[in-house]
Amino acid sequence: MSDITRGGQFLVKETNCEDIFTPEDFSEEQIMMRDSVREFVDKEIWPYKDRFEKKDYAFTEATIRLAGDMGFLSVAVPEAYGGMGMGFVDTCLVCDYISGATGSFSTAFGAHTGIGTMPITLYGTEVQKQKYVPKLASGEWFGAYCLTEPGAGSDANSGKTKAVLSDDGKFYSITGQKMWISNAGFCSVFIVFARIEDDKNITGFIIENDATNGITMNEEEHKLGIRASSTRQVFFADTKVPVENMLAGRGEGFKIAMNALNVGRIKLAAACLDAQRRVTSNAVIYANERVQFNTPIAQFGAIRYKLAEMATSTYAGESATYRAAKDIETRIKLREAEGASHQEAELKGVEEFAIECSILKVAVSEDVQNCADEGIQIYGGMGFSEDTPMESAWRDARIARIYEGTNEINRMLSVGMLIKKAMKGHIDLLGPASKVLEELMGIPSFETPDYSELFAEEKEIIEKLKKAFLMVAGGAVQKYGMDLDSHQQLLMAAADMLIEIYMAESTLLRTEKMAKAQGEDKVKEQIAMAKLYLYKAVDIINQKGKETIISFAEGDEQRMMLMGLRRFTKYTNMPNIVGLRETITAKLVAENSYCF
């Protein structure tokens, strides 16, 4: 087990391109699954975008049922409960390609297959699983998840909903108010979190949706985006739930909620990918067709800049998401081989890579928003009109930075979890961090390295960026210790450094793997994207590192760390950024779509 990558270890361990999974490694079965999902979306969802935008909730429900008929709701469900029992990569693959056309459908799909079904699959008793999961897997029933309350958002464990045991000990009475409940309007079963007596932690319950049992709802919420995703407040007034419907043990609800969010985060990243592909493709098609000054606007540098950046962030998101998905899948299989149950293996597998799940959630949700924003800009005035698909893509993208834990929470979590792992001895960060300090005290090498091999310099820069993070985070931990939690602005800046390292490295490794398999001349656009992404990552790391250093260090320590940061973010040979963008856009414009 020691040579298997652990979560967060990418920071201190060199990863070879052969050791990561990429979209180019999809099996024939995975390609068939991808194509059948894509066909479903192109036939059943994309042509009806206007119905989703007009808040046709019944249509969302009907389309989710169709997805159930196709088996798409059951990919992650074990075969014993009527599912396909496919691997974690397959789960992310379906989530990716089914989510590209409209956020309304992808929210309904994600809420049902993820937080609506998965807590029962992973925490339910055998009786609970047999009773509920087959109906959820087939789409006969739909699930919803009731965690958030008016006073309990990011602080999920502070909910006021109460669960009171009856005198005969046979059922609990649930009373409270839940809000922002996706699928509430058509769900058959709720996962509800409530507090028993004055317990420190909340408890989970499975509650069937029955209006005669004290369950009422407000009207549908009026939302900026995801307009046909059913979102309501749900009220419970002495709703009776049998004691055997408690999910896991008393007080274990917070743990269920947190672990469900870990899975939700990587799946949310996957759910933003096809949206980016479609936005980019539409922007390319429009730029090729739209003529101004007797020239298609795709020929103008200002537009070519945007297209290259949109494609690059999409490619980076794919690279990092599938890398992490496969790492999780490998860890799950390993645990199962060691005798763990499917439930335990999946929980531990995802938990191991919780840092990467938070990184991906932040990075990809922000990229899809930027991508849609530039999409509107390329369309110009038409982009602002409901007659084109850009404005709805922009509105739908906005929620991705809020749900599954806000991006601010996830930034702080990624660094916080990393430090906790180091404290527990799961990752050695202190050793490498002190080596970095030793290196700064020493005399730098003035030899000119041999950079003739593809990515030789870029890989060295990635190593240096890791040192920059270790120097900055190590210095902050030394100064503030466990009190670092209260210095949120420093944590946020450190998180941005961490995110860029993972995304840039994943993009580089994917491209190196492709170049080795196909030859460099066949993947020159991908090479350009990897170099462009890294160049921008170096800039962000330099800026965030400087901001952090000058905010907590003083005098000689500050001077030494700033000198280190300059050394760790320095290129020997600067890339021609405009040239890289031109290479990428030339391919997009020629192919008239996102073609990577």
Side-chain angles (χ1 to χ4, degrees), residues 120-131:
I120 307 178
T121 314
L122 296 183
Y123 286 98
T125 62
E126 192 54 39
V127 173
Q128 288 169 347
K129 287 188 288 192
Q130 294 287 0
K131 182 175 179 183

Side-chain angles (χ1 to χ4, degrees), residues 210-353:
D210 173 5
T212 65
N213 188 16
I215 301 175
T216 53
M217 294 182 205
N218 270 8
E219 287 303 299
E220 292 285 353
E221 299 284 354
H222 299 288
K223 307 184 295 293
L224 171 71
I226 57 169
R227 288 182 169 173
S229 150
S230 172
T231 313
R232 293 183 169 192
Q233 289 195 37
V234 182
F235 302 89
F236 299 95
D238 284 326
T239 300
K240 293 182 173 35
V241 52
V243 290
E244 57 268 22
N245 273 30
M246 182 188 284
L247 195 54
R250 177 172 173 171
E252 289 188 15
F254 186 59
K255 185 174 78 178
I256 297 172
M258 291 305 98
N259 282 326
L261 287 173
N262 284 336
V263 185
R265 282 166 186 152
I266 184 168
K267 285 171 76 176
L268 177 62
C272 294
L273 294 175
D274 200 50
Q276 282 194 78
R277 290 187 203 102
R278 284 174 187 263
V279 164
T280 305
S281 290
N282 274 292
V284 174
I285 292 164
Y286 187 81
N288 273 329
E289 288 172 359
R290 173 74 168 160
V291 173
Q292 290 291 279
F293 311 105
N294 297 324
T295 311
I297 65 170
Q299 298 309 315
F300 295 129
I303 301 296
R304 293 172 83 81
Y305 171 104
K306 293 180 189 305
L307 293 173
E309 296 287 344
M310 290 160 78
T312 299
S313 73
T314 306
Y315 179 73
E318 291 172 349
S319 308
T321 302
Y322 284 102
R323 174 190 182 180
K326 184 63 173 181
D327 281 342
I328 290 170
E329 182 173 287
T330 303
R331 180 58 71 149
I332 291 168
K333 285 181 174 162
L334 193 82
R335 292 225 171 235
E336 285 180 330
E338 289 173 350
S341 67
H342 169 74
Q343 286 165 285
E344 195 192 343
E346 183 143 330
L347 279 168
K348 291 292 182 200
V350 176
E351 202 179 324
E352 177 65 52
F353 289 94

Side-chain angles (χ1 to χ4, degrees), residues 9 12 421-422 425-433 470:
Q9 217 176 26
V12 291
K421 276 197 153 197
H426 290 181
I427 311 176
D428 177 20
L429 288 185
L430 299 174
L470 289 167

Side-chain angles (χ1 to χ4, degrees), residues 173-219:
S173 284
I174 310 283
T175 303
Q177 175 186 1
K178 298 289 182 178
M179 69 191 303
W180 310 126
I181 307 308
S182 298
N183 296 355
F186 59 83
C187 78
S188 327
V189 64
F190 297 105
I191 310 285
V192 181
F193 295 91
R195 194 176 311 277
I196 301 170
E197 295 169 355
D198 293 323
D199 286 3
K200 181 183 169 213
N201 290 325
I202 49 181
T203 299
F205 296 90
I206 305 167
I207 302 182
E208 292 178 28
N209 187 3
D210 173 5
T212 65
N213 188 16
I215 301 175
T216 53
M217 294 182 205
N218 270 8
E219 287 303 299

Side-chain angles (χ1 to χ4, degrees), residues 12-31:
V12 291
K13 182 180 174 183
E14 192 184 343
T15 307
N16 295 318
C17 69
E18 293 79 13
D19 297 335
I20 72 154
F21 181 85
T22 74
E24 290 69 42
D25 299 321
F26 288 149
S27 66
E28 273 180 43
E29 288 84 359
Q30 285 168 331
I31 289 167

Side-chain angles (χ1 to χ4, degrees), residues 390-445:
M390 286 298 164
E391 63 87 37
S392 65
W394 185 86
R395 285 185 291 98
D396 284 352
R398 189 59 187 85
I399 188 62
R401 282 151 56 197
I402 296 169
Y403 58 22
E404 306 289 356
T406 65
N407 283 11
E408 290 70 28
I409 289 278
N410 274 291
R411 277 186 163 87
M412 291 185 286
L413 269 176
S414 62
V415 178
M417 290 187 290
L418 187 67
I419 292 166
K420 281 198 182 85
K421 276 197 153 197
M423 301 284 186
K424 286 181 177 169
H426 290 181
I427 311 176
D428 177 20
L429 288 185
L430 299 174
S434 54
K435 276 203 188 105
V436 173
L437 291 176
E438 278 168 35
E439 189 180 322
L440 287 180
M441 302 289 193
I443 298 162
S445 158

